[in-house]
Amino acid sequence: MAGPRRRLLLPPLVLLLVAAGAILLPQRGSAEEGKVSLELYYESLCPYCSRFIVNHLAGILEDGLIDAVHLRLVPYGNARVGSNSEISCQHGPYECLLNTVEACAIDAWPDLDVHFSFIYCVEDLVVKRQYKDWESCFQKLGLDPKPVTQCYNSELGHKLELEYANQTNALEPPHRYVPWVVVDGQPLFEDYENFEAYICMASKGTPPKACEGLGRLQMALETAEARNGVSYNSGVSKLATAAEDGGREQ
């Protein structure tokens, strides 16, 4: 189901300066204490995945919720590794290429703002059925293509995808489909589009301003408990207090 397109956090000029080393952006490390873990297991040509990235996930870079989140993208999905370590993808060889391209982007540009902007650009082209023009994203964002092209044309790209295969196959419970969204270790199953509510309920400390709106959160909690047995009760009382106080820190 398509939704309105979201603008990205960084304009192309800023991304150009980042790539040139003129601006040093804050790094979001792998162990960000106090942040809610958000993991997206997906594949590049899955229409549900691309629409989720473009129409939903990008929104947390807009509304500030990203500041409370450690986001990790895993571009592998329903691919399979054969006995010779060759990878076959659900939507064919071109999906394997773009999965590897996006894995290489994450490796080449560890800063979330940079690699997410690139992946957003590619997935937006998937939504528009123009994904074979994916290389235009380098120019649109002012990014040097060399680190990514060298990666996917070398053994490094294949090794990255094999690592993502291991991470995906190690999921407990195993993923059933894509996109597969996990918040603080709990899969959201079919309620993945409501992921922001689960982030708010799992948040530690004062809930982010983007979490205002208890009605939506309570509905998400009830839906999760009825459908999946996923529970995020720990955040509800904090959110209620914040709502009563106008969402302000006391």
Side-chain angles (χ1 to χ4, degrees):
M1 86 181 88
R5 288 185 60 196
R6 308 272 192 163
R7 64 177 173 83
L8 288 180
L9 187 64
L10 296 179
L13 177 58
V14 174
L15 283 170
L16 179 61
L17 293 172
V18 170
I23 293 178
L24 295 177
L25 294 176
Q27 299 293 312
R28 294 184 174 95
S30 57
E32 298 175 290
E33 189 176 354
K35 292 195 174 186
V36 178
S37 166
L38 172 62
E39 299 170 347
L40 171 62
Y41 296 83
Y42 72 103
E43 55 196 24
S44 58
L45 293 186
C46 159
Y48 297 99
C49 299
S50 57
R51 289 198 293 265
F52 176 71
I53 290 169
V54 172
N55 298 324
H56 298 279
L57 186 58
I60 67 173
L61 278 78
E62 257 183 60
D63 61 21
L65 192 55
I66 189 63
D67 294 333
V69 169
H70 172 60
L71 172 62
R72 196 166 68 87
L73 304 173
V74 183
Y76 177 79
N78 294 327
R80 294 288 182 268
V81 179
S83 57
N84 58 355
S85 294
E86 288 300 310
I87 298 173
S88 59
C89 296
Q90 185 173 14
H91 298 94
Y94 215 96
E95 179 167 77
C96 283
L97 168 65
L98 290 183
N99 284 352
T100 305
V101 164
E102 295 185 8
C104 288
I106 295 168
D107 183 71
W109 304 308
D111 187 275
L112 174 65
D113 293 304
V114 182
H115 71 245
F116 184 84
S117 294
F118 178 80
I119 290 171
Y120 175 98
C121 180
V122 174
E123 295 302 321
D124 188 43
L125 291 173
V126 175
V127 171
K128 296 172 179 174
R129 300 184 181 180
Q130 299 171 359
Y131 58 85
K132 290 189 177 179
D133 294 330
W134 66 270
E135 290 176 283
S136 66
C137 291
F138 294 120
Q139 183 177 5
K140 289 175 184 176
L141 299 172
L143 293 169
D144 179 7
K146 188 175 180 180
V148 171
T149 55
Q150 286 183 337
C151 171
Y152 76 75
N153 283 320
S154 70
E155 186 60 24
L156 174 58
H158 187 62
K159 286 180 179 178
L160 291 173
E161 275 300 286
L162 289 176
E163 176 57 32
Y164 284 142
N166 289 335
Q167 293 176 21
T168 303
N169 293 335
L171 282 167
E172 285 294 342
H175 85 287
R176 300 178 187 175
Y177 38 74
V178 288
W180 189 255
V181 180
V182 179
V183 173
D184 260 12
Q186 296 284 352
L188 302 190
F189 298 92
E190 294 180 1
D191 206 31
Y192 63 86
E193 287 187 354
N194 211 14
F195 73 103
E196 291 176 283
Y198 293 96
I199 291 170
C200 292
M201 288 185 282
S203 66
K204 304 156 182 73
T206 303
K209 184 175 176 61
C211 292
E212 293 175 1
L214 270 180
R216 180 171 64 90
L217 299 176
Q218 187 61 39
M219 180 178 65
L221 179 62
E222 292 170 358
T223 299
E225 289 177 341
R227 183 181 297 169
N228 307 319
V230 178
S231 178
Y232 285 102
N233 285 304
S234 60
V236 173
S237 60
K238 294 184 294 180
L239 288 164
T241 302
E244 290 168 2
D245 294 328
R248 292 189 299 272
E249 201 170 347
Q250 298 299 303

